[in-house]
Amino acid sequence: MRTYLVTGGAGFIGSNYIHYMFRKYGDEIRIINVDVLTYAGNLENLRAVEGRDNYTFVRANICDREAIEKIFADNEIDRVVHFAAESHVDRSIVNPGVFVETNVLGTATMLNAARKAWERPDGTYPEGKKFLHVSTDEVYGSLPDDDNAFFYETTPYQPHSPYSASKAGSDMLVKAYMDTYHFPANITNCSNNYGPYQFPEKMIPLMIHNALEGKKLPVYGDGMNVRDWLYVEDHAKAIDLVQEKGRLFETYNIGGHNEKRNIEIVKIILATLREVLPENDPRRAHVNEDLITFVEDRKGHDRRYAIAPDKIKAELGWEPETMFAEGIKKTIRWYFESEEWMAHATSGAYQEYYEKMYAGR
Ligand code: NAD
Ligand code: DAU
């Protein structure tokens, strides 16, 4: 049975990935989820898999060398899927230090531990071992406001925020390990994800939550910045495909050619909410464009992101399956039906869940 070590599995993309993998492979695989549970890590995202014999949660910091080495020593790890990171650009502007620690030093710790466990005395690695480093399109910087400009795997790195600079640093470390030690890895650089379990500091869940509560919808700057949105399950599928069929040492860009301006997204959310809300729901009275408020721009705000997914499509046959109109409806329904999850996420109550759920373990 193949064993996956997933880091950051209690976060947004990591938890969606774990659900996807168990749906696809059932009892054929084992997953060990290592997460330190920062404010962004929420075990409520993983309630449905908690009872499985082939799922284990380990609370540990990826910067903790001993804890990570112990996991490798106690388990025959075949695959590492490395999601754990500080992920929010606005937080990185306020507090860059923790981004360097987790994203750069944490990735170095993961690479060292995997290399120590996997590398043979002759410098080779057993067949099937692979480290997949999950990264972002933000490392490429910002594109001009031109519908024909895209990020390719060959686009030079030009990060602007402390977040993207720290992710670029982590990518460079993975590249260095591949070049220096022939370390078996892949890097994926993905565009903006949306879907269930996303922490409501990110634009889409924040706007859904605020609109339902009748709070202002804070649009940064002129609202004309472009992001390339991908349904999170399509990202999970792409990661699995790169693990299964990707050529070692390669980078794959993941994105769905779904570029939209922020203001468009906010208007789509409002229109979709009005479709989804029952006729007699009192919130219909305030869910409208009057809530939109233009606020001070994010410092160093990248103007446009757009991924060219040509390589992953040509080599691995990956294409997004969930179109935005359908994905945003599914997402809004999910937040709409997950009031308790949202209440816990916004009050921080989910942090107590770990203490209760794992008391004495
Ligand atoms: P997230 O913030 O929702 O989750 C991050 C998870 O990592 C949390 O569970 C957190 O507790 C955990 N974590 C943080 N620091 C840790 C540490 N020191 N040790 C152990 N665990 C730690 O993030 P996300 O949006 O799910 O992003 C996951 C990965 O995907 C990140 O590497 C991010 O850079 C990348 N990415 C995200 C997007 C996106 O749109 N969200 C797009 C492309 C790439
Ligand atoms: O592109 C991939 C990246 O996407 C990931 O690497 C990051 O981890 C992820 O957080 C995301 O970064 P963004 O900064 O693009 O996502 P965010 O949801 O924070 O913002 C999306 C856009 O919306 C961005 O242009 C800023 C704007 N925005 C954001 C918030 C939170 C607003 O206008 N208002 C807001 O309140």
Side-chain angles (χ1 to χ4, degrees):
M1 183 189 283
R2 186 185 286 167
T3 299
Y4 289 75
L5 174 54
V6 174
T7 70
F12 163 50
I13 306 176
S15 58
N16 277 285
Y17 171 78
I18 290 174
H19 287 301
Y20 172 73
M21 292 297 280
F22 281 134
R23 274 201 302 278
K24 178 163 178 192
Y25 296 104
D27 292 336
E28 290 167 29
I29 59 165
R30 197 173 147 232
I31 294 182
I32 301 170
N33 171 19
V34 182
D35 197 303
V36 77
L37 302 181
T38 66
Y39 78 93
N42 182 351
L43 286 181
E44 290 186 21
N45 299 355
L46 291 162
R47 265 193 179 146
V49 303
E50 247 151 23
R52 297 189 75 103
D53 291 339
N54 55 343
Y55 169 75
T56 310
F57 173 70
V58 179
R59 188 174 192 176
N61 192 319
I62 56 163
C63 299
D64 181 343
R65 185 174 60 83
E66 270 179 34
I68 300 300
E69 285 185 358
K70 184 169 178 348
I71 296 168
F72 277 95
D74 292 350
N75 301 278
E76 183 63 46
I77 305 291
D78 300 296
R79 303 285 172 90
V80 175
V81 187
H82 178 38
F83 292 100
E86 286 292 335
S87 69
H88 193 41
V89 174
D90 292 323
R91 284 180 191 254
S92 81
I93 295 167
V94 180
N95 182 16
V98 67
F99 284 73
V100 178
E101 276 163 35
T102 295
N103 299 359
V104 183
L105 298 179
T107 299
T109 308
M110 290 304 304
L111 289 167
N112 286 334
R115 186 176 158 231
K116 187 171 171 187
W118 292 347
E119 196 185 60
R120 297 187 185 114
D122 66 356
T124 63
Y125 291 81
E127 189 76 15
K129 301 288 186 197
K130 204 184 237 196
F131 187 110
L132 191 143
H133 177 61
V134 180
S135 193
T136 170
D137 59 358
E138 298 201 12
V139 296
Y140 298 122
S142 187
L143 291 165
D145 229 341
D146 165 0
D147 287 353
N148 296 312
F150 295 103
F151 294 138
Y152 292 88
E153 286 80 358
T154 49
T155 302
Y157 276 28
Q158 207 175 5
H160 296 125
S161 71
Y163 162 70
S164 52
S166 67
K167 290 297 289 188
S170 66
D171 292 13
M172 290 301 171
L173 276 172
V174 179
K175 286 174 201 270
Y177 276 61
M178 295 194 284
D179 292 347
T180 310
Y181 309 115
H182 225 59
F183 181 77
N186 284 115
I187 299 173
T188 55
N189 294 90
C190 188
S191 63
N192 284 64
N193 286 215
Y194 69 100
Y197 304 118
Q198 188 167 29
F199 192 75
E201 64 186 351
K202 305 283 163 52
M203 184 178 77
I204 287 185
L206 184 143
M207 297 296 174
I208 295 170
H209 176 66
N210 281 16
L212 287 171
E213 298 264 301
K215 291 186 184 150
K216 290 186 187 317
L217 308 181
V219 176
Y220 296 165
D222 63 3
M224 298 298 272
N225 299 65
V226 174
R227 295 293 181 267
D228 179 0
W229 294 95
L230 181 70
Y231 192 63
V232 62
E233 192 179 37
D234 281 325
H235 187 186
K237 286 179 188 167
I239 288 173
D240 180 43
L241 206 55
V242 172
Q243 282 275 354
E244 289 303 306
K245 299 195 178 133
R247 285 183 295 134
L248 274 182
F249 317 120
E250 292 292 319
T251 288
Y252 292 91
N253 278 357
I254 305 172
H257 274 313
N258 181 48
E259 297 113 50
K260 297 220 176 324
R261 298 194 187 274
N262 292 339
I263 189 69
E264 264 181 85
I265 294 282
V266 174
K267 289 182 178 174
I268 291 172
I269 288 172
L270 287 166
T272 313
L273 270 173
R274 291 186 65 81
E275 262 178 66
V276 170
L277 279 170
E279 278 304 319
N280 58 354
D281 193 305
R283 290 172 292 189
R284 291 184 79 84
H286 61 242
V287 174
N288 61 56
E289 293 186 12
D290 292 346
L291 293 176
I292 295 174
T293 312
F294 291 91
V295 299
E296 189 189 335
D297 210 353
R298 172 184 279 175
K299 287 187 174 69
H301 197 175
D302 287 336
R303 191 64 173 172
R304 177 169 179 270
Y305 300 150
I307 281 276
D310 307 20
K311 180 173 170 180
I312 191 166
K313 183 177 175 191
E315 282 191 18
L316 308 181
W318 177 87
E319 273 190 291
E321 287 166 32
T322 303
M323 293 301 105
F324 191 70
E326 179 199 344
I328 194 71
K329 226 172 250 178
K330 270 176 41 181
T331 302
I332 286 178
R333 282 221 172 84
W334 187 86
Y335 286 104
F336 191 59
E337 287 160 9
S338 307
E339 279 183 359
E340 191 188 55
W341 182 94
M342 185 56 97
H344 288 179
T346 48
S347 71
Y350 64 93
Q351 282 163 336
E352 290 160 22
Y353 174 78
Y354 173 81
E355 309 303 336
K356 266 195 239 141
M357 187 64 207
Y358 287 83
R361 290 194 190 181

